[in-house]
Amino acid sequence: MSTFFVCMRAFFAVKDVKEAVKSTVEEKMMERKRPLVPKRLKERVIKRVAKLASDFMTASKMAGKIAEKMTAEMPQKMMKKGLTVHVEEVFREGPYFVLQLQVLKVDAVVMAEAAKMKDEEEEEEDPLFVRCVKQFMEAVGGKNKDRLESRYLPTIVQNKMHSGMGDMLAKELSEKKMEAEAEVLPEAKQARFLFAMLKQVKEAETAEKAKKGPLAAIKKKK
């Protein structure tokens, strides 16, 4: 296996999760069978509980849950597209978190098939493009195939992923009724972006302390 993988990082800022929490709580409670409870009363109780849950679950608390879920699910989703990836959480503070992603291997045939599946007009079971990729990978031989899929293609694919992946991740969270920003960057741009994020974290902490007043800080020291 190659040892000179480049990595990219996805920077997230979770803004609002109230609607997502309310929706999830309402769905789970509606699924439970509650005998002898009038429908209107049940709906009112569920909405009240969902509202309390959404008030309790802040963006900072939800950020940790989102990070853990994405770390577990992203490799599985990428595998279906022919990509073997390693994902880990490398930073979390308040509503901000950072995931590091490395493309370790690219199955060129699976990736070609996944790309073709997006084309709704394509009716062939084994289209020409996919057949060409298969024939090429067979022709290069075992050693060259492994070198291509484990060393060269990961770098090429990863460089192509930066541009649209941030919007895709933000859209996924939006579909789950979460308001969040996502920015995926190559190594060359990560340091400057991380410093800007840390500055925002510090400013948010200062604003929160000011909101609570000077007595809160004294009480915390005790």
Side-chain angles (χ1 to χ4, degrees):
M1 188 179 288
S2 171
T3 58
F4 58 90
F5 296 118
V6 294
C7 68
M8 58 183 178
R9 290 188 173 93
F11 297 78
F12 294 85
V14 182
K15 293 182 174 181
D16 190 359
V17 295
K18 290 187 182 297
E19 286 303 313
V21 174
K22 281 170 66 177
S23 177
T24 302
V25 172
E26 285 176 7
E27 284 177 15
K28 287 185 177 180
M29 291 189 71
M30 285 296 286
E31 288 171 1
R32 295 179 185 175
K33 293 182 180 180
R34 298 179 184 277
L36 305 176
V37 177
K39 187 178 179 181
R40 283 189 179 180
L41 177 60
K42 180 181 177 181
E43 288 176 352
R44 258 187 297 174
V45 170
I46 288 173
K47 285 184 177 179
R48 180 61 179 161
V49 172
K51 174 69 168 59
L52 290 170
S54 69
D55 289 342
F56 174 76
M57 183 60 75
T58 63
S60 295
K61 289 176 182 176
M62 184 60 88
K65 295 181 180 295
I66 297 170
E68 289 172 9
K69 193 170 184 181
M70 292 185 81
T71 302
E73 292 181 353
M74 202 178 289
Q76 297 169 12
K77 290 180 180 179
M78 292 293 190
M79 184 68 76
K80 292 177 182 177
K81 297 179 181 180
L83 305 178
T84 301
V85 302
H86 173 72
V87 182
E88 66 175 316
E89 182 185 345
V90 294
F91 174 83
R92 190 199 308 169
E93 184 69 39
Y96 302 92
F97 67 92
V98 181
L99 300 183
Q100 179 172 289
L101 184 147
Q102 288 179 309
V103 180
L104 305 178
K105 189 172 182 179
V106 177
D107 188 320
V109 175
V110 174
M111 188 171 68
E113 289 173 341
K116 271 298 172 186
M117 282 175 66
K118 291 182 180 179
D119 188 354
E120 296 178 354
E121 295 178 2
E122 184 61 64
E123 295 180 355
E124 293 181 70
E125 289 185 7
D126 194 8
L128 179 61
F129 173 66
V130 176
R131 287 203 301 271
C132 288
V133 173
K134 283 182 179 178
Q135 289 171 3
F136 173 77
M137 297 308 289
E138 287 170 4
V140 297
K143 274 189 178 180
N144 291 328
K145 179 177 180 289
D146 183 63
R147 190 178 299 167
L148 191 66
E149 292 187 334
S150 300
R151 296 181 64 179
Y152 300 113
L153 286 179
T155 303
I156 294 169
V157 169
Q158 198 156 283
N159 288 337
K160 295 286 185 183
M161 287 171 70
H162 296 144
S163 56
M165 195 172 178
D167 291 338
M168 181 194 76
L169 293 171
K171 187 180 177 184
E172 278 188 20
L173 292 173
S174 177
E175 287 170 356
K176 295 176 182 177
K177 298 183 179 180
M178 298 181 198
E179 187 183 347
E181 291 180 16
E183 192 74 36
V184 179
L185 298 171
E187 285 183 309
K189 297 181 180 179
Q190 289 168 15
R192 180 180 290 183
F193 198 89
L194 181 60
F195 287 137
M197 177 184 277
L198 291 172
K199 186 180 177 183
Q200 286 188 345
V201 171
K202 192 69 178 175
E203 288 174 352
E205 287 178 352
T206 303
E208 188 64 26
K209 286 177 183 177
K211 194 189 296 182
K212 290 178 180 178
L215 292 177
I218 296 169
K219 189 176 180 181
K220 193 174 181 181
K221 287 179 181 178
K222 288 181 179 180

